[in-house]
Amino acid sequence: MALFSGLSAFPITPMTSGGEVIAPDLQRLVRRIEAGGADSVGLLGSTGTYMFLSRDERRRAVAAAVEVAVSIPIIVGVGAMRTDEAQALAHDAATEGAAGLLLAPVSYTPLTEEEVFRHFLAVASATDLPLCIYSNPGTTNFTFSPDLVARLTAIPSIAAIKLPLPANGSIASDLAAFRAAAPDLSIGYSGDWGCKEALLAGADCWYSVAGGLFPEQAAALTTAAMKNDRETAGHCDDVFADLWKLFREQGSLRLMYAAANLMGLTQAQPPKPLQPLEETLQARLARVLPNS
């Protein structure tokens, strides 16, 4: 299977209160993802709290993940505020054995399309690794238009895009617009509660938060949806229905830390200033976790 296709599972990055990666805990999560049947690990994405880690710790995380991944590729987030920092992170990821890169246009001042294009051009030049465009307007305040994506495909190493669920309109129409603009690009979606429909509509990849802790169940859903087996995909999605409700109400990040704690996979807490999930929500979460 191609790199940016199927199920890409995104784990948290367990770290100490001082921002040091807890390598054994991260490796435990990576092994679990591989054993569960995911097609790739999405390391240092938003769920992996990449912006809370120093360059050295991000490199340590890549090295730790690559060390234990026997047959599954590691896709590494390399977003940073400055272009030269993102280039350095891309070089580090390649040096440590990453198979691909994920790049969000991180900014404080909102970026123009020209600035984003030049940023991607520069970061892509830092390595030979295939690169996935990371569209996450909720954190970057930048929305990729189909026209910009079409322009970015002129950069040879750009191979994929990770899209959010559309705020307006159907997933099928959103996917069709990006397919028309960039027919050779792998197109995948995040926003776990909508990804069954995205895969049934013909998306190439599910970039999954839940897959970081529940890869077996997420892989079953992915396989069924990509085979257009709507009945089985529906049953697999139902396993997550109560968790999707919590995701939509609370966001997924604090929930995934709390779930990993409840499952005994790590005792790491979200990096401050983020706070752990409050007790009432922890109790609710414990009741809706898929069988693991």
Side-chain angles (χ1 to χ4, degrees), residues 46 50 102-106 116 120 131-146 148-149 152 160-166 174 178 187-191 207:
S46 295
Y50 67 105
L102 180 67
L103 179 62
V106 180
V116 169
F120 273 77
L131 189 151
C132 179
I133 301 164
Y134 184 6
S135 177
N136 191 357
T139 60
T140 64
N141 295 311
F142 184 86
T143 299
F144 284 86
S145 67
L148 176 58
V149 172
L152 285 166
I161 185 167
K162 175 182 184 287
L163 289 167
L165 298 174
D174 187 71
F178 283 96
I187 300 175
Y189 283 85
S190 57
Y207 296 98

Side-chain angles (χ1 to χ4, degrees), residues 5 46 60 77 79 125 128 134 138 147 163 201 208 229 233 261 274 276:
S5 62
S46 295
R60 284 189 65 235
S125 72
D128 294 327
Y134 184 6
D147 287 344
L163 289 167
S208 175
D229 182 348
N261 296 163
L274 301 178

Side-chain angles (χ1 to χ4, degrees), residues 56-285:
D56 286 345
E57 291 304 311
R58 288 168 75 165
R59 183 165 185 160
R60 284 189 65 235
V62 180
V66 169
E67 182 181 10
V68 298
V70 176
S71 61
I72 190 170
I74 307 293
I75 300 166
V76 177
V78 295
M81 291 283 285
R82 293 206 321 261
T83 297
D84 60 332
E85 290 178 339
Q87 287 178 305
L89 291 164
H91 181 267
D92 290 347
T95 299
E96 296 299 341
L101 305 175
L102 180 67
L103 179 62
V106 180
S107 65
Y108 181 81
T109 300
L111 300 176
T112 67
E113 288 202 348
E114 183 63 26
E115 288 167 338
V116 169
F117 178 81
R118 291 178 180 272
H119 181 65
F120 273 77
L121 183 64
V123 177
S125 72
T127 78
D128 294 327
L129 292 180
L131 189 151
C132 179
I133 301 164
Y134 184 6
S135 177
N136 191 357
T139 60
T140 64
N141 295 311
F142 184 86
T143 299
F144 284 86
S145 67
D147 287 344
L148 176 58
V149 172
R151 185 183 177 199
L152 285 166
T153 61
I155 301 172
S157 62
I158 290 185
I161 185 167
K162 175 182 184 287
L163 289 167
L165 298 174
N168 299 298
S170 71
I171 295 172
S173 61
D174 187 71
L175 177 59
F178 283 96
R179 282 271 187 246
D184 296 326
L185 206 65
S186 170
I187 300 175
Y189 283 85
S190 57
D192 282 3
W193 56 89
C195 283
K196 179 197 75 172
E197 294 304 323
L199 292 171
L200 287 169
D204 300 299
C205 190
W206 175 17
Y207 296 98
S208 175
V209 172
L213 289 181
F214 309 103
E216 187 173 348
Q217 296 91 332
L221 171 54
T222 303
T223 297
M226 294 188 80
K227 289 180 177 178
N228 203 35
D229 182 348
R230 291 179 176 271
E231 182 177 359
T232 302
H235 291 318
C236 293
D237 195 54
D238 287 344
V239 169
F240 291 108
D242 291 329
L243 185 62
W244 294 165
K245 290 178 183 177
L246 272 175
F247 275 19
R248 298 187 76 167
E249 292 173 15
Q250 304 294 329
S252 60
L253 181 56
R254 295 174 184 85
L255 289 167
M256 285 298 94
Y257 270 89
N261 296 163
L262 289 167
M263 296 163 68
L265 297 172
T266 182
Q267 290 305 306
Q269 299 298 307
K272 291 180 179 179
L274 301 178
Q275 295 295 308
L277 198 67
E278 61 183 63
E279 290 185 5
T280 55
L281 287 172
Q282 287 187 36
R284 184 178 167 195
L285 174 64

Side-chain angles (χ1 to χ4, degrees), residues 37-57:
D39 297 293
S40 64
V41 175
L43 193 73
L44 300 178
S46 295
T47 302
T49 52
Y50 67 105
M51 289 301 291
F52 291 85
L53 289 162
S54 69
R55 175 183 175 184
D56 286 345
E57 291 304 311

